[in-house]
Amino acid sequence: MEINGVVGDMMGATLGLLALEIIVYFGVPLLIVWMIYRYYNNKTNKRAKIIQAIIEKNPDAGNVDELMKKIAPKQKSLKEKLLRKLLWGSIMIVLGVCIFAYALWIDCLGGSHPQTVHLTYFAGVILLGIGLAVLLNYFISKKMLAKEIEAEEKKLTEEANL
């Protein structure tokens, strides 16, 4: 009788842990995606309501395309986009090197499970590879888009001087 109680408690605990894992692995990412979708959907709905209110109050408001351009968020320049690539590439490389160094350290200490050490090496190499790929993309893009960046900067300085 007592054995059935222990087995039942273990089954309940196992099912509870399984439910928690399902919630964490599936529920949290779905919640994050839903929140991002809702944010962008609300943002577009608010813009549409603003334009609709302007048109209702003043039918002679002018061209709707001009209104849309005024309300639209500012687009990032090529230079800002490239600098963001440089930032993320650098972050990934630093994380990759740190994780790889940590893997070396736990490997030298010994006593760790080999699978854990291999997984840590793998994570470090993957992050390092992603960082190098993003940095390579940054340098290639910078070289290819040099004329466009220069034209964009010239346009911005002309607008600022007016």
Side-chain angles (χ1 to χ4, degrees):
M1 195 67 133
E2 193 173 313
I3 293 176
N4 287 336
V6 172
V7 171
D9 289 343
M10 288 176 57
M11 289 288 283
T14 305
L15 288 176
L17 285 175
L18 180 65
L20 183 64
E21 286 179 5
I22 289 173
I23 289 170
V24 169
Y25 291 135
F26 296 108
V28 172
L30 285 174
L31 181 66
I32 291 170
V33 168
W34 175 75
M35 288 173 67
I36 292 170
Y37 168 75
R38 187 170 170 204
Y39 169 77
Y40 284 108
N41 198 15
N42 285 340
K43 194 173 171 181
T44 348
N45 287 342
K46 285 180 183 179
R47 264 197 222 124
K49 285 180 183 178
I50 290 171
I51 291 175
Q52 186 178 11
I54 291 172
I55 292 173
E56 285 176 0
K57 289 182 180 178
N58 187 5
D60 301 325
N63 194 357
V64 178
D65 291 333
E66 290 177 23
L67 268 167
M68 292 293 286
K69 287 179 184 176
K70 289 179 183 177
I71 293 177
K74 184 185 170 218
Q75 294 293 323
K76 292 181 180 151
S77 67
L78 287 173
K79 197 171 191 176
E80 289 173 327
K81 291 177 184 177
L82 283 175
L83 287 174
R84 178 159 280 132
K85 283 183 184 180
L86 177 65
L87 172 71
W88 280 106
S90 302
I91 289 172
M92 291 294 174
I93 285 178
V94 168
L95 281 174
V97 167
C98 289
I99 291 175
F100 193 78
Y102 175 71
L104 282 172
W105 182 63
I106 63 172
D107 199 11
C108 289
L109 286 179
S112 294
H113 195 279
Q115 188 175 13
T116 304
V117 176
H118 292 299
L119 187 63
T120 310
Y121 276 126
F122 182 70
V125 168
I126 291 295
L127 284 174
L128 191 61
I130 291 171
L132 288 173
V134 173
L135 274 183
L136 181 66
N137 185 297
Y138 163 76
F139 286 114
I140 291 172
S141 298
K142 182 180 171 186
K143 197 171 205 174
M144 290 180 69
L145 298 172
K147 291 179 185 175
E148 286 85 350
I149 292 170
E150 189 177 311
E152 197 173 72
E153 286 178 355
K154 191 181 286 185
K155 180 183 172 188
L156 287 173
T157 54
E158 287 175 1
E159 288 177 3
N161 290 335
L162 292 178

